[in-house]
Amino acid sequence: MITDVICEDPRWEEAGLEALSETVAQAVFAHLDLTGDWEVVVMGCDDARIAVLNADFRDKDKATNVLSWPSEERAADDAGGQPLPPVGPDPELGDIAISYDTCAREAAEAGKTFTDHVTHLAVHGILHLLGYDHIHDKDAALMEGLETEILGNLGIADPY
């Protein structure tokens, strides 16, 4: 298994976060042709917990949908460039936290299924662990393109 899932909120167990996270991780790795015994930790939590994490790590005192903490910096030197692939003896790529409350609200507001929205956010979070970002327009275009392709491979429509 690629993912180690921690469900701090029992609604995530009911939503099948463990299986969904593993499916997403396998899809991302296959699409990027990454091989190896890489590991990703996914924590399913609620808005209260993610708001604390967002305040502690990003100085933003509010809930958000997904946060990620890469184990090392892999970003490309130039905007729109490919991030460095993971290497080294440490298999851990990093951690992701995802909030049930925010995901459910956003999915409802956008008219998407909860599962499709969470799948998108899990893809997004794992790509962050692999060095992809969306701060600059060229980086955002690369990341969003990959998200759309990976989600398409999973039978999910373009989220953008």
Side-chain angles (χ1 to χ4, degrees):
M1 291 202 42
I2 298 170
T3 57
D4 180 16
V5 178
I6 302 162
C7 293
E8 286 192 355
D9 184 318
R11 294 175 293 177
W12 282 116
E13 290 173 15
E14 296 169 20
L17 183 61
E18 188 170 338
L20 185 144
S21 297
E22 187 64 23
T23 297
V24 167
Q26 289 179 12
V28 170
F29 283 47
H31 189 79
L32 298 175
D33 200 28
L34 292 176
T35 57
D37 294 324
W38 305 109
E39 298 172 5
V40 173
V41 174
V42 178
M43 180 181 69
C45 61
D46 60 14
D47 271 359
R49 177 73 164 123
I50 210 162
V52 169
L53 294 169
N54 206 17
D56 288 350
F57 291 97
R58 297 178 64 223
D59 292 323
K60 295 185 178 188
D61 193 20
K62 64 180 184 175
T64 189
N65 50 22
V66 65
L67 293 171
S68 58
W69 296 270
S71 61
E72 64 182 77
E73 181 59 47
R74 296 179 180 87
D77 291 332
D78 299 317
Q82 288 292 330
L84 300 171
V87 294
D90 184 5
E92 294 184 21
L93 294 177
D95 304 338
I96 297 168
I98 189 163
S99 172
Y100 189 96
D101 303 305
T102 298
C103 289
R105 185 183 68 254
E106 289 175 346
E109 289 170 356
K112 298 178 182 180
T113 70
F114 178 78
T115 300
D116 284 0
H117 188 53
V118 171
T119 300
H120 175 210
L121 293 173
V123 168
H124 185 86
I126 292 172
L127 287 175
H128 273 309
L129 298 183
L130 293 168
Y132 293 89
D133 211 330
H134 45 83
I135 295 173
H136 303 288
D137 288 344
K138 288 181 180 179
D139 292 330
L142 175 63
M143 186 172 185
E144 290 171 8
L146 285 172
E147 289 174 14
T148 299
E149 291 169 4
I150 294 164
L151 291 170
N153 291 340
L154 293 169
I156 298 173
D158 183 343
Y160 299 105

